[in-house]
Amino acid sequence: MGKPQIVKFEQNHCNADINDNSVLFVRVADEIRDKHAMIEVPYTHNAYIIKGGGDARFYKSGAYDVFDDRKEIKAWKKGFSVDVVYMPKDCSLVVFWGTPQRFTYRDEASNHVVNIGARGQFGVTIANPEQFFRKVVGVRREFDKDDFQTRFSAEVVNEFADAFLKAVAEKKLTYDQFDAHKKEIGITVGGILSPKFEKSWGVGLTDFIIEWVGIDASDKAAVENAAAEKRLKEEREKKLKEYLAEVERLDDKQWERDKFLRQLELQDKNAYYDVLKVIGHAPVAGAAGVGVSAGASLFCSNCGKPYTAGSIFCPNCGNRLVKEKATCPKCGSNNEADAMFCATCGNKLK
């Protein structure tokens, strides 16, 4: 009896080198000529052996008989086929990816939506040989690296946006921190995506790297402007609460309360009118640009006591409340007290 026939990796159809781990599988379909034939699985690879076109079994490194029993030998004599698919234990294939379209992200600090693009690379490992055989190998005679990279990277990119947004949310990162934290985000994204593809493709992701994160300058400017407006609004609301608290504190001290409002009018008119809207109060002491109706309660700028709209002098201290009109000596028209020229004839008054 001579040496038994041995099916080896080197008999693969694509002439792949046993040390080229970027080739994720090679297929050997040898004609079995000996019932004592054996299959050799090198220490660098695992293998799937498909007998009779359907019975697939997983084998680790070692040497195995092709036929398990007399029944298989009998079937072989009638045309029993054997295919061996070798898969590297350690893969070195690198897949490059990039988002073909930008995805949206809402910046929490500004509540503004920006469009994001990204690109990078990752390695792969055969994490589930059985699922890998079903999804990737199938009936293919040899591994097409370009086809695999194209198909697989497209699947990964489809899942990338959700994983990216989840990662930045967990780390509480704003858009301007993405670039500085690319490595951390990539590790988190890889940890999210790898289990998904181990289950669906039998392929795990290793060293998931984000090389670039792109945000348009117009989006950055919009975010910064929106963030500034939001901060301004928050500061204004904070001040309004402080002013309202002070007004409430002085509620039983009418003169001090109105004095505070007059000071606020001079310091910050916008805040002053915001306060008046909240407390439902008419502007005090004839606020600039605001008319008052007859009978409204106003307060003397000298003593702070109330007086009725239309009064010329304060009933408490005698302070003149309404300035005398300036009468033009030329045409007799009445002008505002501080007028420099007559509004009717242009005559100089002062």
Side-chain angles (χ1 to χ4, degrees):
M1 178 179 172
K3 292 183 179 180
Q5 177 187 1
I6 299 178
V7 178
K8 298 182 178 182
F9 176 95
E10 289 76 11
Q11 295 169 306
N12 68 81
H13 294 290
C14 56
N15 298 316
D17 190 300
I18 196 169
N19 296 313
D20 185 359
N21 290 349
S22 67
V23 177
L24 298 189
F25 76 85
V26 298
R27 194 173 202 126
V28 176
D30 195 12
E31 179 183 349
I32 303 303
R33 301 178 300 275
D34 180 1
K35 67 180 180 180
H36 299 294
M38 300 185 70
I39 295 172
E40 181 182 87
V41 183
Y43 73 92
T44 55
H45 287 66
N46 293 315
Y48 251 94
I49 300 176
I50 307 99
K51 300 179 182 180
D55 181 20
R57 301 180 192 178
F58 177 71
Y59 291 82
K60 294 184 178 181
S61 303
Y64 305 92
D65 292 328
V66 171
F67 303 115
D68 295 337
D69 50 40
R70 291 182 179 180
K71 184 179 178 181
E72 287 190 353
I73 294 174
K74 187 177 181 180
W76 160 64
K77 290 180 179 179
K78 294 181 180 179
F80 190 85
S81 64
V82 176
D83 280 15
V84 184
V85 176
Y86 293 95
M87 308 172 194
K89 292 178 180 178
D90 298 312
C91 304
S92 60
L93 178 63
V94 175
V95 177
F96 295 92
W97 62 271
T99 53
Q101 296 179 337
R102 301 206 167 200
F103 58 94
T104 57
Y105 160 79
R106 185 176 292 278
D107 182 68
E108 290 187 4
S110 64
N111 199 37
H112 188 78
V113 174
V114 298
N115 296 301
I116 299 175
R119 67 170 177 264
Q121 66 181 55
F122 57 84
V124 298
T125 180
I126 300 174
N128 185 334
E130 183 176 356
Q131 183 60 25
F132 176 80
F133 176 78
R134 292 172 181 167
K135 179 72 176 181
V136 180
V137 181
V139 297
R140 292 179 176 86
R141 303 307 297 172
E142 60 184 79
F143 179 63
D144 186 330
K145 189 182 299 184
D146 292 337
D147 176 67
F148 173 80
Q149 289 177 316
T150 300
R151 290 189 301 119
F152 190 62
S153 63
E155 291 284 337
V156 171
V157 168
N158 284 340
E159 300 287 342
F160 172 77
D162 288 342
F164 178 89
L165 295 176
K166 184 176 181 180
V168 299
E170 286 179 356
K171 298 180 181 301
K172 298 181 179 179
L173 300 175
T174 54
Y175 79 98
D176 54 340
Q177 297 173 314
F178 293 167
D179 192 64
H181 293 268
K182 288 184 299 189
K183 184 176 180 180
E184 298 169 46
I185 298 171
I187 292 172
T188 302
V189 169
I192 294 171
L193 295 182
S194 190
K196 290 185 177 182
F197 288 99
E198 287 178 17
K199 185 176 180 180
S200 61
W201 281 66
V203 175
L205 277 59
T206 63
D207 301 322
F208 194 96
I209 297 172
I210 299 174
E211 297 175 342
W212 170 82
V213 179
I215 301 175
D216 290 339
S218 58
D219 277 342
K220 287 183 179 180
V223 168
E224 290 170 1
N225 291 337
E229 290 177 5
K230 185 178 179 181
R231 287 194 298 270
L232 186 62
K233 182 179 178 181
E234 289 173 349
E235 290 173 3
R236 186 171 177 179
E237 289 175 349
K238 181 181 178 181
K239 285 184 177 181
L240 178 60
K241 289 180 180 179
E242 293 174 354
Y243 295 147
L244 290 172
E246 182 66 8
V247 169
E248 185 176 357
R249 187 182 72 82
L250 300 171
D251 195 43
D252 59 345
K253 302 175 183 178
Q254 186 66 40
W255 183 79
E256 291 185 26
R257 181 174 185 263
D258 290 304
K259 181 180 178 183
F260 170 75
L261 289 173
R262 285 194 299 276
Q263 291 174 339
L264 182 60
E265 179 189 11
L266 296 174
Q267 296 169 358
D268 188 343
K269 283 195 181 298
N270 290 328
Y272 168 71
Y273 290 119
D274 286 342
V275 170
L276 294 183
K277 288 176 184 177
V278 175
I279 66 176
H281 194 292
V284 300
V290 180
V292 294
S293 58
S297 294
L298 302 174
F299 302 88
C300 177
S301 59
N302 182 55
C303 68
K305 297 296 182 180
Y307 67 87
T308 304
S311 301
I312 298 176
F313 296 95
C314 174
N316 181 63
C317 68
N319 177 50
R320 188 177 185 89
L321 303 172
V322 180
K323 294 182 180 180
E324 292 182 306
K325 298 289 184 179
T327 303
C328 176
K330 183 176 180 181
C331 69
S333 298
N334 288 327
N335 296 270
E336 295 298 326
D338 56 355
M340 298 293 292
F341 295 90
C342 177
T344 302
C345 67
N347 180 51
K348 186 173 182 179
L349 302 175
K350 294 182 180 180

mmCIF file of all heavy atoms in Angstrom, residues 24 71 88 95 98 102 123 167 196 221 229 243 254 267 312 316:
data_model
loop_
_atom_site.group_PDB
_atom_site.id
_atom_site.type_symbol
_atom_site.label_atom_id
_atom_site.label_comp_id
_atom_site.label_asym_id
_atom_site.label_seq_id
_atom_site.Cartn_x
_atom_site.Cartn_y
_atom_site.Cartn_z
ATOM 1 N N LEU A 24 -9.156 35.943 2.709
ATOM 2 C CA LEU A 24 -9.951 35.409 3.814
ATOM 3 C C LEU A 24 -10.392 33.965 3.613
ATOM 4 O O LEU A 24 -10.823 33.324 4.570
ATOM 5 C CB LEU A 24 -11.180 36.308 4.057
ATOM 6 C CG LEU A 24 -10.872 37.752 4.466
ATOM 7 C CD1 LEU A 24 -12.141 38.472 4.878
ATOM 8 C CD2 LEU A 24 -9.839 37.824 5.575
ATOM 9 N N LYS A 71 -19.820 3.921 4.787
ATOM 10 C CA LYS A 71 -20.948 4.513 4.064
ATOM 11 C C LYS A 71 -20.475 5.649 3.162
ATOM 12 O O LYS A 71 -20.916 5.764 2.015
ATOM 13 C CB LYS A 71 -21.988 5.009 5.072
ATOM 14 C CG LYS A 71 -23.239 5.563 4.428
ATOM 15 C CD LYS A 71 -24.229 6.023 5.503
ATOM 16 C CE LYS A 71 -25.472 6.618 4.855
ATOM 17 N NZ LYS A 71 -26.441 7.083 5.881
ATOM 18 N N PRO A 88 -7.927 31.802 7.268
ATOM 19 C CA PRO A 88 -6.809 32.151 8.161
ATOM 20 C C PRO A 88 -7.295 32.445 9.585
ATOM 21 O O PRO A 88 -8.347 33.043 9.783
ATOM 22 C CB PRO A 88 -6.209 33.399 7.512
ATOM 23 C CG PRO A 88 -7.334 33.998 6.739
ATOM 24 C CD PRO A 88 -8.149 32.836 6.244
ATOM 25 N N VAL A 95 -9.786 47.213 5.599
ATOM 26 C CA VAL A 95 -10.902 47.731 4.806
ATOM 27 C C VAL A 95 -11.000 49.238 5.016
ATOM 28 O O VAL A 95 -11.052 49.709 6.161
ATOM 29 C CB VAL A 95 -12.234 47.062 5.207
ATOM 30 C CG1 VAL A 95 -13.396 47.664 4.411
ATOM 31 C CG2 VAL A 95 -12.154 45.557 4.978
ATOM 32 N N GLY A 98 -15.790 55.125 4.022
ATOM 33 C CA GLY A 98 -16.104 56.558 4.044
ATOM 34 C C GLY A 98 -17.594 56.734 3.838
ATOM 35 O O GLY A 98 -18.232 55.930 3.157
ATOM 36 N N ARG A 102 -23.499 62.724 3.829
ATOM 37 C CA ARG A 102 -23.369 63.224 5.201
ATOM 38 C C ARG A 102 -24.607 62.879 6.010
ATOM 39 O O ARG A 102 -25.701 62.788 5.466
ATOM 40 C CB ARG A 102 -23.127 64.728 5.195
ATOM 41 C CG ARG A 102 -21.856 65.088 4.427
ATOM 42 C CD ARG A 102 -21.238 66.375 4.871
ATOM 43 N NE ARG A 102 -19.904 66.519 4.337
ATOM 44 C CZ ARG A 102 -18.990 67.325 4.846
ATOM 45 N NH1 ARG A 102 -19.267 68.049 5.907
ATOM 46 N NH2 ARG A 102 -17.788 67.391 4.321
ATOM 47 N N GLY A 123 -9.668 46.698 10.519
ATOM 48 C CA GLY A 123 -9.266 45.356 10.153
ATOM 49 C C GLY A 123 -10.418 44.402 10.390
ATOM 50 O O GLY A 123 -11.425 44.766 11.010
ATOM 51 N N ALA A 167 -21.965 57.017 20.385
ATOM 52 C CA ALA A 167 -20.659 57.185 21.032
ATOM 53 C C ALA A 167 -20.456 58.609 21.536
ATOM 54 O O ALA A 167 -20.028 58.820 22.675
ATOM 55 C CB ALA A 167 -19.542 56.809 20.050
ATOM 56 N N LYS A 196 -22.393 43.085 15.947
ATOM 57 C CA LYS A 196 -23.453 43.013 14.944
ATOM 58 C C LYS A 196 -22.997 42.238 13.719
ATOM 59 O O LYS A 196 -23.723 41.397 13.181
ATOM 60 C CB LYS A 196 -23.889 44.429 14.518
ATOM 61 C CG LYS A 196 -24.635 45.209 15.586
ATOM 62 C CD LYS A 196 -25.125 46.528 15.022
ATOM 63 C CE LYS A 196 -25.947 47.288 16.058
ATOM 64 N NZ LYS A 196 -26.485 48.559 15.511
ATOM 65 N N ALA A 221 -20.319 77.853 11.692
ATOM 66 C CA ALA A 221 -20.703 79.236 11.995
ATOM 67 C C ALA A 221 -22.121 79.301 12.541
ATOM 68 O O ALA A 221 -22.400 80.031 13.503
ATOM 69 C CB ALA A 221 -20.579 80.090 10.736
ATOM 70 N N GLU A 229 -26.459 82.844 20.834
ATOM 71 C CA GLU A 229 -27.818 83.330 21.092
ATOM 72 C C GLU A 229 -28.449 82.595 22.271
ATOM 73 O O GLU A 229 -29.142 83.201 23.096
ATOM 74 C CB GLU A 229 -28.681 83.137 19.843
ATOM 75 C CG GLU A 229 -28.304 84.056 18.695
ATOM 76 C CD GLU A 229 -29.121 83.786 17.440
ATOM 77 O OE1 GLU A 229 -30.039 82.934 17.521
ATOM 78 O OE2 GLU A 229 -28.853 84.419 16.404
ATOM 79 N N TYR A 243 -34.000 90.076 38.853
ATOM 80 C CA TYR A 243 -34.720 91.343 38.945
ATOM 81 C C TYR A 243 -36.106 91.141 39.541
ATOM 82 O O TYR A 243 -36.557 91.932 40.384
ATOM 83 C CB TYR A 243 -34.836 91.991 37.563
ATOM 84 C CG TYR A 243 -33.510 92.398 36.954
ATOM 85 C CD1 TYR A 243 -33.308 92.350 35.576
ATOM 86 C CD2 TYR A 243 -32.457 92.837 37.755
ATOM 87 C CE1 TYR A 243 -32.104 92.723 35.009
ATOM 88 C CE2 TYR A 243 -31.242 93.205 37.184
ATOM 89 C CZ TYR A 243 -31.075 93.145 35.826
ATOM 90 O OH TYR A 243 -29.881 93.520 35.275
ATOM 91 N N GLN A 254 -43.057 100.557 48.348
ATOM 92 C CA GLN A 254 -43.397 101.092 47.038
ATOM 93 C C GLN A 254 -42.333 102.028 46.477
ATOM 94 O O GLN A 254 -41.944 101.914 45.316
ATOM 95 C CB GLN A 254 -44.741 101.820 47.114
ATOM 96 C CG GLN A 254 -45.278 102.310 45.784
ATOM 97 C CD GLN A 254 -45.624 101.163 44.852
ATOM 98 O OE1 GLN A 254 -46.169 100.159 45.297
ATOM 99 N NE2 GLN A 254 -45.297 101.299 43.570
ATOM 100 N N GLN A 267 -30.263 101.351 33.251
ATOM 101 C CA GLN A 267 -29.166 100.404 33.058
ATOM 102 C C GLN A 267 -29.429 99.414 31.907
ATOM 103 O O GLN A 267 -28.531 99.104 31.137
ATOM 104 C CB GLN A 267 -28.918 99.615 34.354
ATOM 105 C CG GLN A 267 -28.454 100.488 35.507
ATOM 106 C CD GLN A 267 -28.474 99.742 36.829
ATOM 107 O OE1 GLN A 267 -28.859 98.578 36.908
ATOM 108 N NE2 GLN A 267 -28.086 100.419 37.900
ATOM 109 N N ILE A 312 -48.615 119.245 37.160
ATOM 110 C CA ILE A 312 -47.474 120.069 36.763
ATOM 111 C C ILE A 312 -46.430 120.085 37.860
ATOM 112 O O ILE A 312 -45.231 120.058 37.597
ATOM 113 C CB ILE A 312 -47.940 121.508 36.443
ATOM 114 C CG1 ILE A 312 -48.912 121.466 35.251
ATOM 115 C CG2 ILE A 312 -46.737 122.401 36.116
ATOM 116 C CD1 ILE A 312 -49.509 122.824 34.909
ATOM 117 N N ASN A 316 -46.287 116.609 46.861
ATOM 118 C CA ASN A 316 -45.587 116.353 48.121
ATOM 119 C C ASN A 316 -44.435 117.329 48.366
ATOM 120 O O ASN A 316 -44.296 117.888 49.456
ATOM 121 C CB ASN A 316 -45.048 114.925 48.121
ATOM 122 C CG ASN A 316 -44.320 114.577 49.407
ATOM 123 O OD1 ASN A 316 -44.927 114.567 50.474
ATOM 124 N ND2 ASN A 316 -43.015 114.323 49.316
#
